[in-house]
Amino acid sequence: MKLGTLLSAFACMTLSMGFATPAKAEDPIKIGVYMPLTGQNAFAGQLELEGIQLAHKITPTVLGRPVELVIVDNKSDKVEAANAVKRLAERDNVTAIIGTYASSLSLAGGEVAERAKVPVLATSSTNPLVTQGKKYYFRACFIDPYQGAAAAAYAYKTLGYKKAAVLTDVVSDYAVGLSNFFKKSYKKLGGELVADMKYSSGDQDFTAQLTELISKKPDIVFMPAYFAEGAIIMKQARELGATFVLMGGDAMDNPDTVKIAGKAAEGFMQTAFPYDMTMKDMNDQAKAFTEAWKKNFPNKDPNVNATLGYTCYDMIIDALKRAGKADREAVTKALAETKGLATPVGIMTLNANHDAEIPVGILKYENGKRIYLGEIVPE
């Protein structure tokens, strides 16, 4: 047998026996991204992807190797989210995954990630169940108990509102969880909950719920909606003559909120992740992100979703550097040990539950613009 034929036969035998070919120094390190690029959550998913891509453009290599982004659309669907993680882990053999926007999608993908033993870093999935009991799932954002408590504290203590109501999308894991945490914290502070109204994702007419809310005369209505439905609720509330203040959660943080709601957005408030282009005293990382964004997207203002995508990419790169190799278990361990990392959303530390310990911001809409008022510390 000729030498070339012998070597070919050996190579085939090696593969058939399951031995992996060692990675070459120039082989790319694959980082998966699963985001809702179509469907209900597409706008936010696209923003987060743009933030990831911007960070990748700035830092395209790590450990002496190029980084390759493998992007999959989870289509704002739970089954598609699970399939996306399975594909990235098994077919694409990524070292780590970034995603996703929307807690329900992360909950679906998380079960697959645990079985595949691949580390995943969620951008803006705030439901506590996303990381609860998980070894391989992490997040770069605060969780809903903290956000709900912050919203309640701001409404009751800072604004002095003694009567509140909630309007909740019962189909959304995110909305149900955040509403529950707001109600619990608000009542604990001494506030009165005068109404607890519900709707379902995709509803367009909120007249019945809003009419009932108006009759109960709350000072403030907390509605942790996604931006499209939230903006419609704002418009219909004002058309019906509602005078109560409307307050939302982080999912309302979208440039299109004002475009859809128009003048009805005036006075609206929301909790938010701690970045906005209007904020005072930006840290150096936030300034660098803002400058890079404006250079690459001159016709579009930076958004906190993009900031979180950018932050997640940098956190994965930091974990790879500390791990010293593109190995799933090593990167998982490094992510779990993330402490004191300077990022655009503040000094990032992941706690024992794999949740980010960062402040809660508060935004208010005035004269057609979003104003970053500062940060809230819940009771």
Side-chain angles (χ1 to χ4, degrees):
M1 183 180 289
K2 295 181 180 179
L3 178 60
T5 305
L6 182 63
L7 290 173
S8 296
F10 178 75
C12 291
M13 181 179 67
T14 300
L15 288 173
S16 68
M17 292 174 66
F19 295 114
T21 304
K24 300 176 183 177
E26 66 272 16
D27 283 347
I29 295 174
K30 294 182 179 181
I31 297 176
V33 179
Y34 82 119
M35 285 290 170
L37 304 179
T38 55
Q40 179 188 10
N41 302 312
F43 193 95
Q46 185 63 47
L47 282 170
E48 293 188 349
L49 175 59
E50 288 171 349
I52 294 166
Q53 290 171 326
L54 177 59
H56 177 249
K57 183 176 181 179
I58 294 170
T59 311
T61 64
V62 67
L63 303 178
R65 295 165 60 186
V67 175
E68 177 186 342
L69 294 178
V70 184
I71 301 164
V72 181
D73 178 11
N74 65 40
K75 303 178 183 179
S76 303
D77 180 84
K78 295 177 184 179
V79 174
E80 292 288 347
N83 289 338
V85 173
K86 183 178 176 65
R87 170 190 156 174
L88 290 168
E90 296 179 2
R91 193 185 83 177
D92 298 310
N93 195 31
V94 300
T95 299
I97 299 173
I98 300 173
T100 175
Y101 179 86
S103 295
S104 59
L105 302 178
S106 274
L107 285 167
E111 297 301 323
V112 180
E114 289 297 298
R115 292 194 295 271
K117 299 183 178 181
V118 58
V120 184
L121 181 59
T123 44
S124 52
S125 296
T126 53
N127 189 301
L129 295 175
V130 168
T131 55
Q132 187 173 301
K134 301 289 197 305
K135 177 182 177 180
Y136 295 94
Y137 224 92
F138 303 81
R139 73 178 109 215
C141 57
F142 49 62
I143 58 174
D144 285 334
Y146 193 77
Q147 179 179 194
Y154 194 80
Y156 186 82
K157 301 193 75 174
T158 304
L159 300 177
Y161 293 147
K162 307 306 179 187
K163 293 184 178 182
V166 295
L167 179 57
T168 309
D169 177 358
V170 294
V171 179
S172 165
D173 296 322
Y174 160 80
V176 171
L178 190 48
S179 275
N180 287 338
F181 296 123
F182 174 87
K183 289 185 289 186
K184 181 180 178 181
S185 296
Y186 189 78
K187 288 189 285 187
K188 185 177 180 181
L189 288 167
E192 180 185 358
L193 190 71
V194 298
D196 189 352
M197 305 302 296
K198 299 172 175 61
Y199 70 94
S200 297
S201 298
D203 287 353
Q204 296 294 305
D205 184 0
F206 304 93
T207 303
Q209 295 96 326
L210 290 168
T211 300
E212 179 70 13
L213 287 170
I214 290 169
S215 73
K216 297 296 184 180
K217 298 181 180 180
D219 299 316
I220 189 167
V221 173
F222 184 66
M223 53 155 199
Y226 286 99
F227 78 97
E229 288 162 346
I232 294 170
I233 291 169
M234 287 184 211
K235 291 186 72 173
Q236 292 181 9
R238 299 314 172 211
E239 288 168 359
L240 291 168
T243 57
F244 48 69
V245 172
L246 280 165
M247 186 180 195
D250 61 281
M252 289 296 298
D253 196 359
N254 193 295
D256 274 7
T257 297
V258 174
K259 293 179 184 177
I260 298 171
K263 293 181 180 179
E266 186 68 19
F268 174 72
M269 288 181 291
Q270 65 164 93
T271 48
F273 299 113
Y275 170 86
D276 190 81
M277 64 179 295
T278 67
M279 70 192 303
K280 299 176 182 178
D281 304 319
M282 272 191 184
N283 65 38
D284 290 341
Q285 288 70 34
K287 288 177 182 176
F289 163 77
T290 304
E291 290 170 3
W293 180 272
K294 288 180 176 179
K295 180 180 178 181
N296 285 270
F297 302 97
N299 299 316
K300 182 161 55 175
D301 288 340
N303 171 273
V304 73
N305 292 103
T307 315
L308 286 166
Y310 180 100
T311 297
C312 281
Y313 181 86
D314 283 352
M315 289 174 68
I316 296 290
I317 294 300
D318 173 70
L320 279 162
K321 288 178 179 177
R322 287 185 289 109
K325 55 184 176 181
D327 173 81
R328 289 179 179 179
E329 290 296 334
V331 171
T332 299
K333 183 175 184 293
L335 277 173
E337 295 171 350
T338 300
K339 287 181 174 60
L341 179 66
T343 78
V345 292
I347 301 300
M348 179 68 67
T349 292
L350 296 184
N351 62 27
N353 295 320
H354 297 177
D355 304 325
E357 296 181 349
I358 56 174
V360 178
I362 183 76
L363 291 168
K364 186 175 183 180
Y365 292 62
E366 296 179 345
N367 300 316
K369 296 180 179 179
R370 305 175 329 147
I371 307 299
Y372 189 86
L373 298 180
E375 295 169 358
I376 317 165
V377 177
E379 293 289 310

